[in-house]
Amino acid sequence: MLSCAPFVDFIEENEIRDFYIAGADAVACVKSSCYNLCKANYGVAVLSDCITSYDTKQIPAMLRYYHSKGCRLLDLKDLRHTL
């Protein structure tokens, strides 16, 4: 995600500091995005009911991992109330 220079340029030019993450691979793409965004000091919220994995039994552990890296955990309904 942050390895794509045009994307990084876009978020910097538009002063984007917070991200809401959803995705189909909780143990790979979502995990990597959360880790890298948090490491770069962006605000990250994972929409816990908008992620999945080939092994859905791993999702609770992944949610704990995201939280341990500094991500907020939200449900989609929570997001609707914050906008």
Side-chain angles (χ1 to χ4, degrees), residues 34-72:
C34 290
Y35 175 81
N36 289 313
L37 288 168
C38 286
K39 184 177 174 183
N41 295 314
Y42 288 98
V44 180
V46 176
L47 301 176
S48 60
D49 55 346
C50 295
I51 61 169
T52 193
S53 179
Y54 64 91
D55 182 1
T56 57
K57 293 176 187 168
Q58 292 189 33
I59 291 176
M62 293 286 58
L63 293 173
R64 288 189 299 276
Y65 172 84
Y66 306 147
H67 186 261
S68 77
K69 297 302 175 195
C71 298
R72 290 183 301 142

